[in-house]
Amino acid sequence: MATNLVIVESPTKAKTIEKYLGPDYKVMASVGHVRDLPRSDFAVEIDNGDARLVYEIPKGAQKVVSAIRKAARGAEHVFLATDLDREGEAIAWHVAEVAGIDPGEENRVVFTEITRDAIVAAFAEPRAIDGNLVDAQQARRAVDRIVGYRLSPTLWRNVASGISAGRVQSVALRLICDREDEIRRFVPQEYWSLHGDFTRATKHFQADLHAVDDQRVTDPKGYDERAAKGTDGRYLVVRDEAAANALIERSRAVDAWTVTDVTRRERKRNPAPPFTTSTLQQEAERKLGFNAGRTMRVAQQLYEGIAVGEEGPVGLITYMRTDSINLSNQALAEIAGLVRTDYGQRYTLDAPRRYPGRSRGAQEAHEAIRPTSVLRRPRAVARYLDADQRALYELIWKRTVATQMAPAVFDTVRADIVGEDAGGTLTYRATGQVMKFDGFISVYIEGRDDDDDDDAVVAELPDLADGQSLALADVTGEQHFTQPPPRYTGATLVKELEADGIGRPSTYASIIQTLLNREYVRLEGRRFVPTPLGEVVTAYLKQHFSEVVDVLFTARMEDELDEIAAGEQAWGPVVSEFLHEVDEWIAERKPERPRIPIEDAECPDCGGAMEKVFSGKSRQWFASCARWPDCKGTLPLDEYGNVTTVAELQPDETVRCPECGKAMLRRDGRFGPFYGCQDYPKCKGIANVELRIGFACPKCKQRTPGEGPTDGELVERKSRYGKPFYGCNRYPDCDFALWTVPLAQPCPSCGGPLKPPRKNAKNPTGICAACEERVALDDPDPPRVEPVEWVPRTEGAPST
């Protein structure tokens, strides 16, 4: 019988660790937190400048807590082996509290990888729970609670019901909204570039116009940057076709072109550092298309253990929540040996490459994310992993190995080609780059974001030397327009949050998911676009509680949390002071719904100024007279927030308002697309768009021929938490709900929807949601239904 009890967070981790510890150890999983703050209560108590949090055991954790308490009473030793970050330290403390274990006892075990050697070493050196890390986690929960529970009610009263603010999520939302404002304000500027086709000994190559007389050619963005420094007089922008054609004619008129300032050099490029949590999230999005949540979920699986053949469950990567870019000496030696064996001596470093520095606000000095052993090559473990696990493990393996490989080497050459005419001097510049040795690039090259410079290899140039004469075969102009800053992707948002010190990389996945779930943003082609709801939340907070969405204010709070974790200050006074500050804001500022002035817009009724106003009911913006309520003039806004007219928005004549009969406008709302009256807000008629799946509701069985609002049809809907499900369109009169995607094929007996079989079932069977008949299936993964949009078109209206 086991005499030692070990508590970890997850059943998978428990299974892997128990294999290494032997029969004297019983490993149990807490399945996450065993205590939490109650949803129904503020739960932050302040007393004489100190703070205390009031916890409860959630209903879902009560059985687990009872089992832990019982096992702890019968064990000689209890070890707390939760994760090694602040969250893991807090879980260990909560387990100790509910199980009656002395938190000062040396029973806390931490490790960065789940391998036999790491586990044995960790259990040989237990320590006490780190109270500073626990306090930092409690402080984080408290300040997040204060923002959510104090400010969110003001949003409900003044903007719309059911919305909320968050200490970190609101700053992330502001970044997305500010970027959208930049895009809307952006005015494209035309400019031209000139490309000369030169020849040398029958070989053609391209050079670009670099300077006109003493002025260097640049683009509008570069010119504006120089203007800010007062050096714009030395630069030139070719702003239109006429200017480009004039320079083309000057170039063609030059009699002789001469090579000058030839520069040759060897350039070395080193690999990127090993992964931290943040860089893993960024790179997985760039290269694999994984969002932050998917990346962390798969990384957790690889860390906690995968059954690898006869070896059994083993952790394949080190701990995935880390700010460190360090690699252990043991790992460095193993990687060097693999590089020497698999790639040869040319690719092997003389000494290990170590990367200096850590990210801003880095927490604990962990290792970087790496394979627990690079000798487990991706191809060797591929058959034990699913597609996501294979892709992420290969990404981590390649990045780690590349960090200890020789740099890539390039030969570069640059030459200016000068010609003179009656008007002055024209200078074209040619650049060439050729890879001489691929080095680490043979294994891995880091992905790029929109605003990163492209380091691609360019064409090889002929052998050029100063004083050589060249011939100009042709010259062409190319038109360009400046581009607005790109919308954030998951990778670039994570990069920005980390650079600004907002939140911590381990929280980025949940922050982004919260913004999506609350429909403050939506994804268009993997880029974040703020919804009207997200924009009004940001506008409201910027107007009344600017500190909450201020980057520097939020970063300073993160610094204070780091100081608490380091034991440099107590958590209670920090929380007490913050609560007092927030309560003062609310009492003094008397917030109200934002009304944002609109430039160059006149009220259609009185000719006065217009303001952008948000409707809490439709969750859409519209333009209202600034003299409201004395004048009730309104105008619609287009998708970019600009004042427009009903005619320009093109109402759908086939969909008529149920209130006034006018044609309606298609809108996007909290629960998907709908049609709103063109006279909103004077008329508030709406018509919902349904996503039907082609099945009658099994419960109410009121499907009738034709299409009308009383048909008992199954439609795709979303829960309050954003989870899709399939319910009756007669809700709330009928409350049928199906939480799995039905099969495309109907039940052969009654025509009802079939629930899909269990994953990897030996004998796949579908179960009818109407008559409960079990239907044998040939395909273990049969096709699912695909919802089809149904628009409530008015009978007799013209068809589209």
Side-chain angles (χ1 to χ4, degrees), residues 6-27:
V6 181
I7 309 296
V8 297
E9 297 99 330
S10 78
T12 303
K13 186 175 174 182
K15 184 178 178 181
T16 307
I17 290 174
E18 196 166 49
K19 181 188 75 168
Y20 298 134
L21 292 176
D24 291 337
Y25 291 82
K26 177 182 180 180
V27 185

Side-chain angles (χ1 to χ4, degrees), residues 740-767:
T740 55
V741 185
L743 304 184
Q745 69 183 80
C747 171
S749 297
C750 71
L754 291 177
K755 300 177 187 177
R758 288 183 296 104
K759 189 177 181 180
N760 299 324
K762 291 184 178 179
N763 301 303
T765 303
I767 301 175

Side-chain angles (χ1 to χ4, degrees), residues 532 613-622 667-669 674 680:
V613 181
F614 185 79
S615 165
K617 181 179 179 181
S618 71
R619 305 203 172 198
Q620 298 290 323
W621 291 98
F622 65 95
R667 304 281 193 187
D668 286 314
F674 70 97
Y680 181 85

Side-chain angles (χ1 to χ4, degrees), residues 308-369:
V308 179
E310 296 180 358
E311 193 175 1
V314 61
L316 293 180
I317 65 170
T318 54
Y319 191 53
M320 65 286 164
R321 295 186 181 94
T322 176
D323 300 298
S324 173
I325 53 175
N326 296 322
L327 295 174
S328 68
N329 291 333
Q330 180 181 350
L332 290 170
E334 187 178 73
I335 298 167
L338 177 133
V339 171
R340 188 176 295 107
T341 301
D342 287 14
Y343 301 96
Q345 190 61 40
R346 284 187 73 202
Y347 292 85
T348 307
L349 297 174
D350 294 333
R353 180 184 287 113
R354 299 182 187 274
Y355 293 85
R358 290 161 64 190
S359 64
R360 173 180 175 176
Q363 294 178 19
E364 295 75 36
H366 309 153
E367 265 198 271
I369 302 170

Side-chain angles (χ1 to χ4, degrees), residues 320-462:
M320 65 286 164
R321 295 186 181 94
T322 176
D323 300 298
S324 173
I325 53 175
N326 296 322
L327 295 174
S328 68
N329 291 333
Q330 180 181 350
L332 290 170
E334 187 178 73
I335 298 167
L338 177 133
V339 171
R340 188 176 295 107
T341 301
D342 287 14
Y343 301 96
Q345 190 61 40
R346 284 187 73 202
Y347 292 85
T348 307
L349 297 174
D350 294 333
R353 180 184 287 113
R354 299 182 187 274
Y355 293 85
R358 290 161 64 190
S359 64
R360 173 180 175 176
Q363 294 178 19
E364 295 75 36
H366 309 153
E367 265 198 271
I369 302 170
R370 62 168 176 83
T372 53
S373 172
V374 292
L375 300 180
R376 294 191 189 92
R377 295 166 176 83
R379 63 179 179 273
V381 298
R383 59 191 174 123
Y384 306 111
L385 308 178
D386 64 28
D388 283 4
Q389 292 167 348
R390 279 196 301 274
L392 194 64
Y393 181 74
E394 184 173 13
L395 187 73
I396 294 169
W397 188 91
K398 286 183 174 181
R399 172 87 161 222
T400 304
V401 171
T403 65
Q404 300 305 310
M405 295 180 71
V409 182
F410 299 87
D411 279 338
T412 66
V413 62
R414 187 189 74 192
D416 287 347
I417 306 162
V418 178
E420 294 184 359
D421 67 350
T425 303
L426 299 176
T427 303
Y428 283 77
R429 175 166 287 181
T431 57
Q433 177 174 280
V434 177
M435 184 185 292
K436 185 178 179 181
F437 173 58
D438 58 1
F440 75 91
I441 290 177
S442 63
V443 173
Y444 181 86
I445 185 168
E446 188 178 27
R448 299 282 180 176
D449 292 321
D450 306 290
D451 51 357
D452 285 341
D453 292 331
D454 191 359
D455 198 28
V457 174
V458 294
E460 184 177 3
L461 297 179

Side-chain angles (χ1 to χ4, degrees), residues 575-591:
V575 172
S576 176
E577 183 180 339
F578 184 64
L579 176 59
H580 178 71
E581 195 174 5
V582 171
D583 284 343
E584 279 191 344
W585 298 343
I586 296 170
E588 294 172 359
R589 297 179 184 179
K590 298 179 175 56

